[in-house]
Amino acid sequence: MVVLGIESSCDETAAALVADDRRILADVIFAQIAEHTPYGGVVPEIAARAHLDHLDATIQACMDQAGLGFADLDGISVTGGPGLIGGVIVGVMMGKAIALAQNKPFIAVNHLEGHALTARLTDDAAFPYLLLLVSGGHCQLLVVEGVGRYRRLGATIDDAAGEAFDKAAKLMGLGFPGGPAVAAAADKATAPYRDLPRPMKGRPDCNFSFSGLKTALRQRVDALRADGHFDDATRANLAAGFQQAVVDCLIDRSARALEIAKTDYPDLSALVIAGGVAANKHLRERLQDIAGRHGVRLLAPPGRLCTDNAAMIAWAGIERFRMGERSGFDFAPRPRWPLDEQAPRLMGAGVKA
Ligand code: KG4
Ligand code: ZN
């Protein structure tokens, strides 16, 4: 089975071809960084237009890379949500059009399920496993019990971790995207600020919060600027302090989730990490550490498959097609689409899907 995956829910226009024996036949990503850089963040309207401009060529490049025609496909899988709705609509319409014209099965999958099942594409991970999903739009800890069976142990009550990195970078004038910029600045630190807050640390639940940390950073930056002390060295020390604080929070919450998951699922196979923040090397090192302490493997897919991509969407489609599922052409794109639809909503404003 060969499936075409299409991803357009944020600022990556992507297409991939994946076979059900876990081979990635082609994987093309057009990152819209240049379009959004002048604004220091992703602008939804610009993203939607850019998907419209680039999706045709991205899919064609993907077919050419694999040397396949649409007639060779066994199905088309697209991100049906959650995400920036303009982009999702572009992808869903494209997927439906190809499926209709070529008379192929069509499925709309949850973008988060794409992230959640990536470790099965890369490492053949066995259920159940604990997933730390940390990106610009999402920050949650889930037990992946099976395809379509997700138990959320915790999520952010305000910002996602990647969003916190992006906002911190903007505040310190470090550029976009923020995560890599903060990490690079932090590498030059000589005396990291160690006194930034670690929100939610030690709490018995597995939720996250980053808005207090961001406010603390803003106050520090403002005070340093007012005193005329905000030079490159200070910026590096602040970036390192901020990175350490975020990583501390992610590690504390993940360790708590591992405790719960190991108790409830004695056959827990791994701690899996996904999302753009998973590229952070300090986070990876320290996750390795807590995974080892709890006697599970850490599975960290390669960076390209941790950030938004279409191979994970094709794979999620393969898992669903294998179960005999497909979507109708009346599928409506979903701006919000939690993985665990039965779970009660967390309290707090702006809870991420
Ligand atoms: O998964 P992704 O590509 O897109 C979303 O679905 O959000 O994640 C992008 C996020 C951005 O917020 C970016 O700043 C963050 O991942 N990121 C990092 C690093 N590389 C990317 N955060 C921390 N450290 C990094 N090295
Ligand atoms: Zn994502």
Side-chain angles (χ1 to χ4, degrees):
M1 192 200 298
V2 174
V3 169
L4 169 67
I6 297 174
E7 158 61 33
S8 58
S9 66
C10 190
D11 60 340
E12 262 90 27
T13 309
L17 287 162
V18 178
D20 62 347
D21 60 4
R22 300 175 38 233
R23 273 178 309 133
I24 298 176
L25 308 178
D27 175 21
V28 180
I29 301 176
F30 174 80
Q32 306 171 1
I33 293 178
E35 275 91 339
H36 302 288
T37 296
Y39 307 93
V42 178
V43 183
E45 181 62 16
I46 292 175
R49 284 168 192 274
H51 286 303
L52 206 52
D53 289 345
H54 299 295
L55 189 54
D56 287 12
T58 303
I59 292 174
Q60 192 57 56
C62 171
M63 302 303 293
D64 292 348
Q65 210 178 78
L68 294 180
F70 291 123
D72 301 318
L73 301 178
D74 297 294
I76 291 120
S77 175
V78 307
T79 295
L84 301 175
I85 196 62
V88 178
I89 291 172
V90 172
V92 168
M93 292 306 292
M94 178 68 82
K96 284 181 183 175
I98 297 172
L100 200 59
Q102 300 289 330
N103 196 22
K104 303 287 182 188
F106 162 79
I107 193 156
V109 299
N110 187 316
H111 175 89
L112 301 174
E113 178 161 88
H115 282 301
L117 300 179
T118 297
R120 290 172 55 75
L121 167 63
T122 56
D123 295 87
D124 208 9
F127 300 126
Y129 51 85
L130 178 66
L131 173 74
L132 171 64
L133 174 56
V134 270
S135 70
H138 315 288
C139 188
Q140 46 189 280
L141 281 155
L142 297 159
V143 177
V144 182
E145 299 175 345
V147 178
R149 288 172 40 219
Y150 307 99
R151 179 177 154 210
R152 184 161 65 182
L153 298 181
T156 183
I157 60 166
D158 41 56
D159 292 348
E163 192 179 0
F165 270 108
D166 292 336
K167 287 178 177 170
K170 203 169 175 178
L171 234 127
M172 293 187 280
L174 288 171
F176 169 82
V182 171
D187 281 344
K188 300 191 197 96
T190 48
Y193 283 73
R194 299 200 183 277
D195 56 346
L196 291 167
R198 270 80 172 149
M200 316 292 267
K201 193 169 174 184
R203 294 251 305 230
D205 60 53
C206 302
N207 292 330
F208 304 86
S209 167
F210 295 104
S211 71
L213 172 58
K214 185 185 65 198
T215 305
L217 180 73
R218 172 178 296 126
Q219 287 167 347
R220 192 61 65 89
V221 170
D222 288 349
L224 286 163
R225 276 216 173 98
D227 290 347
H229 291 319
F230 197 63
D231 55 12
D232 280 351
T234 310
R235 210 187 300 223
N237 290 333
L238 263 178
F242 179 82
Q243 175 175 252
Q244 240 162 45
V246 174
V247 170
D248 270 356
C249 294
L250 293 174
I251 291 298
D252 177 75
R253 312 292 55 220
S254 303
R256 178 72 189 121
L258 263 176
E259 254 170 51
I260 295 171
K262 280 288 279 183
T263 310
D264 293 358
Y265 307 83
D267 56 343
L268 193 80
S269 76
L271 169 60
V272 172
I273 178 163
V277 183
N280 189 281
K281 65 176 194 286
H282 294 278
L283 179 62
R284 283 180 180 237
E285 278 166 22
R286 293 190 51 201
L287 282 171
Q288 187 79 58
D289 207 48
I290 55 167
R293 256 188 284 137
H294 283 87
V296 298
R297 288 200 295 162
L298 174 70
L299 295 181
R304 188 178 169 88
L305 293 173
C306 278
T307 56
D308 287 350
N309 66 88
M312 69 177 190
I313 301 305
W315 179 257
I318 287 173
E319 298 251 26
R320 293 271 174 183
F321 281 137
R322 273 179 181 163
M323 293 163 68
E325 289 182 31
R326 57 199 280 177
S327 304
F329 287 119
D330 58 350
F331 173 85
R334 299 182 59 175
R336 276 189 56 80
W337 187 354
L339 269 182
D340 51 346
E341 298 198 71
Q342 278 72 45
R345 292 273 295 277
L346 289 169
M347 298 299 289
V351 173
K352 305 292 164 182

